[in-house]
Amino acid sequence: RSYGADAILIILAGVSEELAYELYDEALKYNMSVIVEVHTVKEAKKALCFKDALIGINNRNLKTLKTEMNTTYEINNVLINHNRPIISESGIKTKEELLEINNKTKIKTFLIGESLLKNLSNNSIFSVL
């Protein structure tokens, strides 16, 4: 916060459960937003404890770097009752994929990086919802 940050990202695969809770509590004390990132159903179940956090579903396996879009669909089922936004992260390449995710899950928040940069370099960017 002292450097001007408004939010933090807690990647559950990268920190202990104890550290995740500590980071979450500290962020809330400083009125910061928190995104808790998950890649597995097990992590998603843990993420539900972070009631005030946005939850990001990373479609990219951080161990293998393989991207699998079904990750969003599988994990969304666990998070269906979370009262904050869910983010589908990584692997979205087209507007059609984005709309398909939205239609199947009602997720309206996306992290689009690599494909956006590629589209920008070609001077063609797709419009989001």
Side-chain angles (χ1 to χ4, degrees):
R1 181 53 117 178
S2 65
Y3 286 102
D6 295 322
I8 67 165
L9 171 66
I10 302 171
I11 303 172
L12 290 185
V15 297
S16 68
E17 196 168 329
E18 182 181 335
L19 181 55
Y21 283 113
E22 187 178 324
L23 292 168
Y24 176 75
D25 289 339
E26 284 297 309
L28 293 182
K29 269 197 244 181
Y30 290 100
N31 198 31
M32 297 175 75
S33 297
V34 178
I35 302 172
V36 174
E37 183 179 282
V38 301
H39 178 71
T40 66
V41 168
K42 183 178 178 182
E43 290 171 356
K45 288 178 182 176
K46 288 180 184 179
L48 290 172
C49 294
F50 301 94
K51 302 225 182 274
D52 292 321
L54 291 83
I55 299 178
I57 302 171
N58 193 344
N59 295 308
R60 179 170 288 119
N61 182 323
L62 296 178
K63 293 176 184 165
T64 66
L65 299 181
K66 182 180 178 202
T67 303
E68 177 58 57
M69 295 308 298
N70 281 332
T71 304
T72 286
Y73 302 123
E74 292 168 7
I75 293 176
N76 182 67
N77 292 330
V78 174
L79 303 175
I80 202 88
N81 292 321
H82 185 63
N83 66 351
R84 301 287 306 215
I86 307 296
I87 307 163
S88 181
E89 305 172 350
S90 300
I92 302 165
K93 296 179 184 79
T94 66
K95 178 180 178 180
E96 290 72 30
E97 287 175 330
L98 185 147
L99 292 172
E100 181 179 340
I101 292 168
N102 177 251
N103 288 332
K104 288 183 178 180
T105 66
K106 304 302 179 211
I107 291 174
K108 295 180 181 176
T109 313
F110 303 89
L111 178 96
I112 302 170
E114 182 181 348
S115 63
L116 179 61
L117 291 174
K118 286 178 182 176
N119 282 330
L120 282 174
S121 67
N122 294 331
N123 291 326
S124 65
I125 187 168
F126 55 85
S127 170
V128 224
L129 301 175

